[in-house]
Amino acid sequence: MEGALIARDRVGVQDFVLLDSHTSETSFLNNLRKRYQENLIYTYIGTLLVSVNPYKELDIYTVTQMQLYRGVNFFELPPHLYAIADNAYRVMCSEYNNHFILISGESGAGKTEASKKILQYYAVTCPTTEQLQIVRDRLLLSNPVLEAFGNAKTLRNDNSSRFGKYMDIQFDFKGAPVGGHILSYLIEKSRVVHQNHGERNFHIFYQLLEGGDKDLLCWLGLERNPQKYAYLIQGRCAKVFSINDKNDWKIVRKAFSIIDFTEKDLEHLFGIVASVLHLGNIQFEEDSNGHAIIRNGTQIKWISKLLGVHLSILQEALTHRKIEARSEEVLSPLNVDLAFYARDAVAKAIYGRTFTWLVNKINGSLANKDSTRKTVIGLLDIYGFEVLDTNSFEQFCINYCNEKLQQLLIEMTLKAEQEEYELEGIEWEPIPYFNNKIICDLVEQKHKGIISILDEECLRPGEATDLSFLEKLEEKVGDHAHFVTRKLADQKTRKSIDWVDFRLLHYAGEVTYCAVGDIHANYNSFSFVLFQVLCNSKNGIIRDCFLLSELDNRRRPETVATQFKNSLMSLIEILMSKEPSYVRCIKPNENKEPGKFDDFLIRHQVKYLGLMEHLRVRRAGFAYRRKYELFLQRYKSLCPATWPHWHGPAAEGVERLIKHIGYKPEEYKLGRTKIFIRFPKTLFATEDAFEFRKHLLVSRLQAKYKGCLGKREYQKKREAAIKLEACWRGALARKEAKKRTWAVQIIRKFINGFINRKKPLCPENIEFVRLVQYNYFMKLRDHVPKTVLDKSWLRPPSILEETSEMLKKICIRNLVRKYCRGVTDERKVQLQQKVVASAVFRGKKEGYLQSINQPFADTRLSISTSNLSDGIVVIHVPEDNKQKGDVILHCEHIFEVVSKLCVLANKQNLVKVVQGSLRFRIGSGKEGTMVFTVGQESQIFKAKNGQLTVVRPQLSSGNVAHTFSSDAQPL
């Protein structure tokens, strides 16, 4: 590491501890930027590794690189993920203790890739046998299975882990991997039923549809098109260019066979995945009583078949709930909203429990049955601190987890520092730091913490709401220094907090959480009736996931928050019993663009990852420490007493050396086995002096040998050197010639391909044709028409004209199809009416062209009639036509006329049947009144008061029947 200090102005320092301005965030970012621009993505803070995602392939993960870092002292080579992995492995083997590597960071920062790289390193560098190779393959292939079921495309990352994962890799006494165990945390079940715009559901759904063979999909009742499934289209990006679902499906299927899944397991597992898709397509309608019913039973029949449950019982369970009435349990029908909620709840429960079953199944295949003691290295790949535009219950749990891990990191770093000082006999100086225990207590404290208050609201009698939960928070923790709501905030802060929000002051900064939905999110149960149905499923996985014993347990199930808190506490206990290593992953920009360093975004992550706090703790004592032997070996040339060999104890040699260099007492301390240097500038000055001395010694050595050797011997040495140089130059020339020969062959091949481009595909032209195709398709990708009206199309080369024409037709059809799919039923009716208008008036009547852009009204018809047996019908002219009066008709078949008008307008609610009188317009804004009455004989006349009077005689019962029959007959 010391050797790299010479180039520190260009590439920064390899360890942030060596920064002069270690408290300056700007200096931290400048150092990170320098290294990133030189493709140096790794930097240390002591033994913590900071990793910046390069968003491109770097040639630093080869087997050669793995062998280079294998068994090497931690600081001997440049910072690397392999150095972290190797150091944990070597210390585990030598001291026979357990370790863990904590990998954290934002979504898209490279956590999952870092975890994979560490697994691959152990797979390549650890000793193995044929039997151990099976374990190794299972460890590696558990990743694609867990990614398929637990990862999804988000706005930030195309392969974002939507769960926390802790994996123990077990090693025998020889250091060979012999088994493993996985723990999962907080799978994002809400994603199963809802995705934000630009995001997808879990990968497995799309992989199954894209890669599953035809017979499998037919057996599952599925179609290939993901647009057919409500749970897959909410994000509007079912197809993603960067994801190859078909290829990923092949990898997952291969992994299943290696991990020891039986055909029956897979049949049941894929049946569950398909059932979730069918659940999402179930639609509820309202019956006459306002209760939810399922009219189309297609989806529920498939679910019944795939889960092995009785059809009618399942249908009843989805539309009813069990309540107590008069000391008896009865089924109560659900309304439509509650039925949809119950459907989504069961989909989330099935997927969440199936994921847990999947993890347990993988654990079964990784388990080592040998009872001899084993050591482990744990890999913790966990979500980083999240601050979104709207932070919900899920972000609250994630940030609580990061708060606990930050507490653990600081405590273990301080503990390690203190232990090293005590071991070396150096006085410990207390280090001031922010202790975030106060925030952890605010969240998790029994009876007083936010989680306990949330649980009380969920479990208390009566109706709990999000607002009642917020009020209870204000009552119980309102005086806490790290908690604030709009009601409790000062005038300035109040503007940035909504009425349904509360704000926590985390170690990394303020986060405002929305309390809406917290009560529902914290419940860990769904319909008792549905649970009973699933307990009796013939699907083996479902039966394992939903146990009858849970129904017999009268205790309320633990809430989601309490479950998460308890599992987090267990994880902390596991980690506290192991030696730690840390990897902090940083995302350099939001666009996944290589080479782009977004200062604002990275500053935000540096803060939320607690890197400055960790650096402050690490630098509070000494910036640099090294074993006496290593320090003396490197810098012995700086002192005549230690150069070229020091024959006494290394500690005494170092003491002589630093006195000769001129170290001041406040710059260093001498421990039992190490020298501690307080300031980076002291080390930099020593390294600069060493580099100067090295060049001076080389020059003197050259001069010495030239003077000491005889003329003939010197000539021989010189000739040997010249010969060696000639050989080396010859080797370089041959390499360059080989490269030029290869270039000539490629150029000839493509010239020949151009000459033969119009021939059918053959060895002479295939590479040229493929290149032309590739270039054209890549250009076409960026010039595809976006709308039906866009007639432009990229002109193809002659050899691709036919293909281009075919693609153009497909593209136009797709655009038309997409446009048609977006046409609503109302719009469709409008277009049909416009087609009729075109057939009748186009080219025949003036004003037609001006009417095209004006949408037709749904109906302009309004009809009034009396409740008596007269034949009067009033057709009201729309109010926008002031010059014309209403139309008054007297017809014999009034029921037939009015009914057919309603049918033609497709409106049954446009008829108004009045009693006594009605008003009508005469014209020019004037109105009249028509009075209906019963008299001795039928007559219509204008009364003295100017009102139009309609008189009808009272019908006898026989006449009523006759009239009804007569009017009804034509219909």
Short mmCIF file of all heavy atoms in Angstrom, two decimals, residues 5 8 13 15-22 619 622-624 677-686:
data_model
loop_
_atom_site.label_atom_id
_atom_site.label_comp_id
_atom_site.label_asym_id
_atom_site.label_seq_id
_atom_site.Cartn_x
_atom_site.Cartn_y
_atom_site.Cartn_z
N LEU A 5 1.61 5.48 -2.55
CA LEU A 5 1.53 6.86 -2.05
C LEU A 5 2.24 7.84 -2.96
O LEU A 5 1.96 9.03 -2.95
CB LEU A 5 2.11 6.94 -0.63
CG LEU A 5 1.32 6.19 0.46
CD1 LEU A 5 2.05 6.27 1.78
CD2 LEU A 5 -0.09 6.74 0.59
N ARG A 8 -0.10 9.60 -5.23
CA ARG A 8 -1.32 10.01 -4.52
C ARG A 8 -1.97 11.26 -5.10
O ARG A 8 -3.18 11.44 -4.99
CB ARG A 8 -1.04 10.20 -3.04
CG ARG A 8 0.01 11.24 -2.69
CD ARG A 8 0.27 11.27 -1.19
NE ARG A 8 1.29 12.25 -0.81
CZ ARG A 8 2.58 12.00 -0.77
NH1 ARG A 8 3.02 10.78 -1.07
NH2 ARG A 8 3.44 12.93 -0.42
N VAL A 13 -5.33 8.43 -2.23
CA VAL A 13 -4.76 7.45 -1.30
C VAL A 13 -5.65 6.22 -1.25
O VAL A 13 -6.85 6.30 -1.44
CB VAL A 13 -4.61 8.05 0.12
CG1 VAL A 13 -3.57 9.15 0.13
CG2 VAL A 13 -5.94 8.57 0.66
N ASP A 15 -6.22 4.38 1.30
CA ASP A 15 -6.91 4.27 2.58
C ASP A 15 -7.30 5.67 3.03
O ASP A 15 -6.45 6.56 3.18
CB ASP A 15 -5.99 3.62 3.62
CG ASP A 15 -6.73 3.21 4.89
OD1 ASP A 15 -7.77 3.83 5.17
OD2 ASP A 15 -6.27 2.30 5.58
N PHE A 16 -8.62 5.90 3.21
CA PHE A 16 -9.09 7.23 3.62
C PHE A 16 -8.49 7.68 4.95
O PHE A 16 -8.46 8.87 5.25
CB PHE A 16 -10.61 7.24 3.72
CG PHE A 16 -11.31 7.25 2.39
CD1 PHE A 16 -11.99 6.13 1.94
CD2 PHE A 16 -11.28 8.38 1.59
CE1 PHE A 16 -12.64 6.14 0.71
CE2 PHE A 16 -11.93 8.40 0.36
CZ PHE A 16 -12.60 7.28 -0.09
N VAL A 17 -8.04 6.73 5.76
CA VAL A 17 -7.41 7.06 7.03
C VAL A 17 -6.19 7.94 6.81
O VAL A 17 -5.80 8.72 7.68
CB VAL A 17 -7.05 5.75 7.79
CG1 VAL A 17 -6.21 6.04 9.01
CG2 VAL A 17 -8.32 5.01 8.20
N LEU A 18 -5.56 7.84 5.63
CA LEU A 18 -4.36 8.60 5.33
C LEU A 18 -4.65 9.99 4.76
O LEU A 18 -3.72 10.70 4.36
CB LEU A 18 -3.47 7.82 4.34
CG LEU A 18 -2.96 6.48 4.86
CD1 LEU A 18 -2.15 5.78 3.79
CD2 LEU A 18 -2.13 6.66 6.12
N LEU A 19 -5.93 10.38 4.72
CA LEU A 19 -6.26 11.75 4.29
C LEU A 19 -5.84 12.73 5.37
O LEU A 19 -6.12 12.53 6.56
CB LEU A 19 -7.76 11.88 4.05
CG LEU A 19 -8.34 11.30 2.75
CD1 LEU A 19 -9.84 11.43 2.75
CD2 LEU A 19 -7.75 12.00 1.53
N ASP A 20 -5.18 13.82 4.97
CA ASP A 20 -4.83 14.86 5.94
C ASP A 20 -6.09 15.47 6.54
O ASP A 20 -6.21 15.62 7.75
CB ASP A 20 -3.99 15.96 5.27
CG ASP A 20 -2.50 15.62 5.37
OD1 ASP A 20 -2.11 14.96 6.33
OD2 ASP A 20 -1.74 16.04 4.47
N SER A 21 -7.03 15.85 5.65
CA SER A 21 -8.29 16.46 6.11
C SER A 21 -9.35 15.37 6.25
O SER A 21 -10.31 15.29 5.48
CB SER A 21 -8.75 17.52 5.10
OG SER A 21 -7.73 18.45 4.85
N HIS A 22 -9.15 14.51 7.25
CA HIS A 22 -10.03 13.35 7.35
C HIS A 22 -11.44 13.71 7.82
O HIS A 22 -12.36 12.91 7.69
CB HIS A 22 -9.43 12.31 8.31
CG HIS A 22 -9.44 12.73 9.74
ND1 HIS A 22 -8.47 13.55 10.27
CD2 HIS A 22 -10.30 12.44 10.75
CE1 HIS A 22 -8.72 13.74 11.55
NE2 HIS A 22 -9.83 13.08 11.86
N ARG A 619 -9.82 7.26 12.71
CA ARG A 619 -8.69 8.19 12.70
C ARG A 619 -8.49 8.89 14.03
O ARG A 619 -7.56 9.68 14.19
CB ARG A 619 -8.91 9.25 11.62
CG ARG A 619 -8.15 9.03 10.33
CD ARG A 619 -6.66 9.06 10.50
NE ARG A 619 -6.15 10.32 11.01
CZ ARG A 619 -5.85 11.35 10.25
NH1 ARG A 619 -5.98 11.27 8.95
NH2 ARG A 619 -5.39 12.46 10.78
N PHE A 622 -4.63 6.72 15.67
CA PHE A 622 -3.45 6.75 14.79
C PHE A 622 -3.86 6.39 13.37
O PHE A 622 -4.64 5.45 13.14
CB PHE A 622 -2.39 5.78 15.30
CG PHE A 622 -1.85 6.16 16.66
CD1 PHE A 622 -2.47 5.72 17.82
CD2 PHE A 622 -0.74 6.97 16.76
CE1 PHE A 622 -1.98 6.07 19.06
CE2 PHE A 622 -0.24 7.34 18.00
CZ PHE A 622 -0.87 6.89 19.16
N ALA A 623 -3.30 7.14 12.41
CA ALA A 623 -3.67 6.95 11.00
C ALA A 623 -3.06 5.68 10.41
O ALA A 623 -3.61 5.12 9.48
CB ALA A 623 -3.22 8.16 10.19
N TYR A 624 -1.92 5.24 10.95
CA TYR A 624 -1.18 4.15 10.31
C TYR A 624 -0.55 3.27 11.39
O TYR A 624 -0.06 3.76 12.41
CB TYR A 624 -0.08 4.76 9.43
CG TYR A 624 0.87 3.78 8.77
CD1 TYR A 624 0.58 3.22 7.53
CD2 TYR A 624 2.07 3.45 9.39
CE1 TYR A 624 1.47 2.35 6.92
CE2 TYR A 624 2.97 2.56 8.79
CZ TYR A 624 2.66 2.02 7.56
OH TYR A 624 3.54 1.16 6.96
N ILE A 677 1.70 5.40 13.83
CA ILE A 677 2.00 6.76 13.35
C ILE A 677 0.71 7.56 13.36
O ILE A 677 -0.30 7.14 12.77
CB ILE A 677 2.64 6.72 11.95
CG1 ILE A 677 3.98 5.99 12.01
CG2 ILE A 677 2.81 8.14 11.40
CD1 ILE A 677 4.67 5.83 10.68
N ARG A 678 0.74 8.71 14.02
CA ARG A 678 -0.50 9.46 14.23
C ARG A 678 -0.95 10.23 12.99
O ARG A 678 -2.13 10.25 12.66
CB ARG A 678 -0.31 10.44 15.39
CG ARG A 678 -1.62 11.07 15.87
CD ARG A 678 -1.39 12.01 17.06
NE ARG A 678 -0.91 11.30 18.24
CZ ARG A 678 -1.72 10.66 19.10
NH1 ARG A 678 -3.02 10.61 18.88
NH2 ARG A 678 -1.20 10.07 20.15
N PHE A 679 -0.04 10.86 12.26
CA PHE A 679 -0.43 11.76 11.18
C PHE A 679 -0.04 11.19 9.80
O PHE A 679 1.09 10.70 9.63
CB PHE A 679 0.23 13.13 11.35
CG PHE A 679 0.02 13.73 12.70
CD1 PHE A 679 1.10 13.93 13.57
CD2 PHE A 679 -1.26 14.08 13.13
CE1 PHE A 679 0.91 14.47 14.81
CE2 PHE A 679 -1.45 14.63 14.38
CZ PHE A 679 -0.38 14.82 15.24
N PRO A 680 -0.90 11.30 8.80
CA PRO A 680 -0.55 10.83 7.45
C PRO A 680 0.67 11.53 6.87
O PRO A 680 1.46 10.92 6.17
CB PRO A 680 -1.81 11.17 6.63
CG PRO A 680 -2.91 11.24 7.62
CD PRO A 680 -2.30 11.75 8.88
N LYS A 681 0.83 12.85 7.20
CA LYS A 681 1.95 13.59 6.60
C LYS A 681 3.30 13.00 7.02
O LYS A 681 4.28 13.07 6.27
CB LYS A 681 1.87 15.07 6.97
CG LYS A 681 1.97 15.36 8.46
CD LYS A 681 1.80 16.84 8.75
CE LYS A 681 1.90 17.13 10.25
NZ LYS A 681 1.72 18.56 10.55
N THR A 682 3.34 12.41 8.22
CA THR A 682 4.58 11.78 8.69
C THR A 682 4.92 10.58 7.81
O THR A 682 6.07 10.39 7.39
CB THR A 682 4.43 11.33 10.16
OG1 THR A 682 4.00 12.44 10.95
CG2 THR A 682 5.74 10.78 10.70
N LEU A 683 3.90 9.77 7.50
CA LEU A 683 4.11 8.61 6.64
C LEU A 683 4.47 9.05 5.22
O LEU A 683 5.35 8.46 4.58
CB LEU A 683 2.86 7.73 6.62
CG LEU A 683 2.90 6.51 5.72
CD1 LEU A 683 3.96 5.52 6.19
CD2 LEU A 683 1.54 5.82 5.63
N PHE A 684 3.78 10.09 4.70
CA PHE A 684 4.06 10.57 3.34
C PHE A 684 5.52 11.02 3.20
O PHE A 684 6.18 10.73 2.21
CB PHE A 684 3.12 11.73 2.99
CG PHE A 684 1.67 11.36 2.92
CD1 PHE A 684 0.69 12.33 2.97
CD2 PHE A 684 1.28 10.03 2.79
CE1 PHE A 684 -0.66 12.01 2.89
CE2 PHE A 684 -0.05 9.69 2.72
CZ PHE A 684 -1.03 10.68 2.77
N ALA A 685 5.99 11.77 4.22
CA ALA A 685 7.38 12.25 4.18
C ALA A 685 8.36 11.08 4.20
O ALA A 685 9.38 11.08 3.48
CB ALA A 685 7.64 13.17 5.38
N THR A 686 8.05 10.05 4.98
CA THR A 686 8.91 8.85 5.05
C THR A 686 8.92 8.13 3.71
O THR A 686 9.99 7.71 3.23
CB THR A 686 8.40 7.90 6.16
OG1 THR A 686 8.28 8.62 7.38
CG2 THR A 686 9.34 6.72 6.34
#
